[in-house]
Amino acid sequence: EAGVTQSPTHLIKTRGQQATLRCSPISGHTSVYWYQQALGLGLQFLLWYDEGEERNRGNFPPRFSGRQFPNYSSELNVNALELEDSALYLCASSVGQVNTGELFFGEGSRLTVL
Amino acid sequence: QQQVKQSPQSLIVQKGGISIINCAYENTAFDYFPWYQQFPGKGPALLIAIRPDVSEKKEGRFTISFNKSAKQFSLHIMDSQPGDSATYFCAATNNNNDMRFGAGTRLTVKP
């Protein structure tokens, strides 16, 4: 069974540009989560999508947005890129509530903003 | 933003020793406390988890100790091995499906 897949693996952008990251959850998983992993800050919760709807978002500015498609895949958009957006962006999926199961993570998309 | 505080930031242990990583949380609504293990170039993977109705959970060489009154929990790795070298994240969540992670501990086990 395929795990969570993310693309691209690496992405280099310049300040002010837009970045789009994509995620395909494990088959049968309806919830998709996005986390930012910046050096020394652990995993910061960005967004949670379930059944095509945004269910919760972390403490990030509105230029971080995304959506979930009918096939449950998801994309994360970061507009007006800033240098501090450079990080590893991790997508995870789950079936049901995370306090009864686990999050399955992809290997991440490394975004570098120059 | 950081609702789960984790320490130490890095840890070096000799092979065969005990690795101990500590976490503290603030939100008393949290009811599920997992630990995730991340190897370089990989996403985190669930290692072990505990609920607040028990004080300890053991799976092989990995043990979680939980102190509800102090709002603290810790991971103990017994007989640490070089293959355990990874970054470990504690986390906490509730039925809002909002998983909050600690800042991570980079563990190095020296042979």
Side-chain angles (χ1 to χ4, degrees):
Chain A
E1 179 183 299
V4 176
T5 57
Q6 293 186 244
S7 63
T9 305
H10 294 89
L11 188 61
I12 300 175
K13 293 286 187 178
T14 57
R15 199 168 49 183
Q17 286 188 312
Q18 180 200 35
T20 298
L21 310 176
R22 296 179 177 83
C23 172
S24 292
I26 291 173
S27 177
H29 289 194
T30 61
S31 281
V32 170
Y33 310 79
W34 287 96
Y35 285 86
Q36 182 193 66
Q37 185 174 13
L39 200 61
L41 293 178
L43 292 107
Q44 303 291 316
F45 170 69
L46 270 164
L47 291 158
W48 166 35
Y49 292 95
D50 183 61
E51 297 286 357
E53 299 286 332
E54 181 181 304
R55 302 296 183 181
N56 199 6
R57 67 179 291 129
N59 189 25
F60 281 84
R63 56 191 187 82
F64 287 84
S65 65
R67 53 180 171 164
Q68 186 178 34
F69 299 99
N71 66 353
Y72 302 114
S73 67
S74 175
E75 68 179 28
L76 174 70
N77 295 294
V78 188
N79 293 318
L81 284 166
E82 301 179 3
L83 296 178
E84 57 261 33
D85 297 334
S86 295
L88 181 69
Y89 289 83
L90 290 163
C91 173
S93 71
S94 72
V95 56
Q97 298 283 341
V98 293
N99 63 343
T100 60
E102 69 178 278
L103 291 178
F104 294 84
F105 284 88
E107 295 188 347
S109 293
R110 171 85 50 194
L111 173 63
T112 302
V113 183
L114 302 176
Chain B
Q1 167 89 331
Q2 201 75 44
Q3 295 187 25
V4 180
K5 290 183 168 58
Q6 182 173 348
S7 64
Q9 188 173 7
S10 63
L11 181 61
I12 300 174
V13 173
Q14 290 295 127
K15 178 183 176 182
I18 302 174
S19 303
I20 301 175
I21 304 170
N22 300 300
C23 285
Y25 62 98
E26 301 167 0
N27 188 345
T28 55
F30 289 144
D31 63 358
Y32 181 66
F33 301 87
W35 286 86
Y36 280 76
Q37 180 188 53
Q38 184 180 29
F39 292 104
K42 301 292 185 182
L46 179 66
L47 182 64
I48 186 173
I50 196 169
R51 298 195 181 279
D53 53 344
V54 296
S55 61
E56 186 175 282
K57 183 174 182 180
K58 183 176 181 179
E59 290 184 1
R61 297 184 293 108
F62 300 89
T63 300
I64 301 178
S65 297
F66 189 85
N67 186 330
K68 187 174 181 179
S69 61
K71 293 188 287 184
Q72 295 175 347
F73 58 111
S74 60
L75 176 69
H76 295 234
I77 306 174
M78 311 300 288
D79 187 27
S80 298
Q81 299 297 311
D84 297 330
S85 297
T87 299
Y88 293 81
F89 295 95
C90 61
T93 189
N94 55 24
N95 58 8
N96 284 335
N97 245 24
D98 188 353
M99 184 88 76
R100 301 288 173 155
F101 286 82
T105 296
R106 177 172 289 186
L107 172 65
T108 302
V109 181
K110 290 191 174 294

